[in-house]
Amino acid sequence: MKENVVKLVELGKIPNDNDMSDELFNQYDELIQIDEPLTFEEAELLITLFSDDCDDLNWGLLHVIESVGTHNIERYRELISKCNNPEFKETFEIRLNNSIEKK
């Protein structure tokens, strides 16, 4: 398990903008910068951390979760179903469907 993933899970769900300090934002932002692809196990831990309205961090989280890849589409769809933010859940689905159509 990547250290950044463990630390993100310990921090918990990304707070909403109104509850976010600059220091906390920077802490999340730094931890979300994961260069190596995630495993499905790691992605499953992170997919429930989306904020309701902190889109800057949410987009970063989406990109790092997408690093798991779509080589197992069924498992990827199952992963998407666990997303706690309806807007980003839909975004994951649209992006997956677009990638499938390109193949």
Side-chain angles (χ1 to χ4, degrees):
M1 182 86 42
K2 291 174 192 56
E3 185 177 340
N4 284 28
V5 172
V6 171
K7 289 180 178 179
L8 282 165
V9 170
E10 288 173 357
L11 277 177
K13 181 181 172 186
I14 298 169
N16 292 334
D17 283 335
N18 293 342
D19 302 323
M20 180 75 72
S21 67
D22 289 344
E23 181 181 325
L24 189 56
F25 180 94
N26 291 335
Q27 191 174 4
Y28 274 100
D29 190 43
E30 185 177 310
L31 290 172
I32 288 172
Q33 306 307 316
I34 301 173
D35 295 330
E36 302 167 17
L38 296 181
T39 65
F40 272 103
E41 292 77 17
E42 291 167 331
E44 287 172 355
L45 293 172
L46 297 184
I47 196 120
T48 62
L49 300 183
F50 284 92
S51 168
D52 294 332
D53 68 359
C54 188
D55 284 347
D56 288 341
L57 292 177
N58 283 344
W59 276 105
L61 189 58
L62 176 133
H63 291 298
V64 78
I65 291 170
E66 285 183 326
S67 75
V68 76
T70 58
H71 55 277
N72 184 336
I73 292 175
E74 186 175 309
R75 188 157 184 202
Y76 195 84
R77 286 193 190 282
E78 184 179 320
L79 174 68
I80 292 171
S81 74
K82 297 176 182 178
C83 184
N84 66 314
N85 180 307
E87 178 185 341
F88 278 84
K89 184 177 189 175
E90 181 180 2
T91 301
F92 274 114
E93 290 170 353
I94 289 168
R95 290 164 70 101
L96 172 61
N97 290 335
N98 286 345
S99 74
I100 291 170
E101 289 174 10
K102 289 180 183 178
K103 291 182 180 180

